[in-house]
Amino acid sequence: MNIVKKLFIQSMIISTSILFLNGINMVIQHFAGNDLTLQWFHPVSIILTAVLCSLPTILLRDSDQWDRKTFWRRVPLHCLSLYTVVAGAGWLFGWYDNVESWISVTIIFFIIYVFVWLSSHWLDKQDEKKINHALDTIRDAE
């Protein structure tokens, strides 16, 4: 998959996931008696964070050509770099102001991290199927 396309798709998946999970978190907090509100800059901060979080994916580019040891050495580096971006954005944009909200942001981060891995893998497999189908069609025509 083209790297620009992959970065765009991951940015969309990440920002949508952040909004969805924060919505769930806000509903839970509302019924727990805590009122959470979004500030005017939160949607922009979410999009900016999603774009910044899609950039370290370049670390894993061409990962299908690596051996397992190299791949599994880079995955923690990838996760740590993304977590650094999210923690920094959370501090900068005021997503958390105490340990409880920091833990909430951390849990949401890891849920989104796994979801993006799974959805990216699924999208890559769908692209492979389309390419293989097109190649089979060309072979059949010959």
Side-chain angles (χ1 to χ4, degrees):
M1 186 183 301
N2 184 342
I3 192 70
V4 174
K5 180 181 173 185
K6 189 171 194 101
L7 293 175
F8 178 75
I9 289 172
Q10 284 193 347
S11 295
M12 296 299 292
I13 293 170
I14 292 167
S15 59
T16 303
S17 299
I18 291 170
L19 288 171
F20 180 74
L21 290 175
N22 277 334
I24 290 173
N25 187 28
M26 291 177 100
V27 168
I28 291 169
Q29 292 299 321
H30 173 73
F31 286 116
N34 303 325
D35 281 331
L36 300 175
T37 57
L38 287 176
Q39 299 294 324
W40 65 271
F41 57 86
H42 280 157
V44 174
S45 70
I46 289 169
I47 293 170
L48 177 65
T49 303
V51 170
L52 290 175
C53 283
S54 68
L55 292 177
T57 301
I58 294 170
L59 288 172
L60 299 176
R61 198 170 88 201
D62 300 328
S63 62
D64 54 340
Q65 299 172 358
W66 302 337
D67 60 353
R68 285 185 176 268
K69 192 175 184 180
T70 303
F71 178 77
W72 288 111
R73 263 192 257 136
R74 289 199 181 195
V75 169
L77 179 64
H78 180 256
C79 185
L80 182 63
S81 64
L82 291 179
Y83 186 71
T84 303
V85 168
V86 170
W91 173 78
L92 182 66
F93 297 119
W95 294 349
Y96 54 85
D97 55 0
N98 57 33
V99 175
E100 184 179 295
S101 58
W102 173 76
I103 290 171
S104 177
V105 168
T106 301
I107 290 169
I108 288 172
F109 166 78
F110 284 108
I111 290 170
I112 292 172
Y113 188 79
V114 170
F115 178 72
V116 171
W117 264 96
L118 293 174
S119 59
S120 293
H121 181 71
W122 181 76
L123 288 171
D124 288 345
K125 289 295 180 188
Q126 294 302 314
D127 281 349
E128 282 181 28
K129 286 180 184 179
K130 288 178 186 176
I131 291 169
N132 287 334
H133 179 69
L135 290 173
D136 288 341
T137 304
I138 292 170
R139 278 189 222 129
D140 290 342
E142 292 175 356

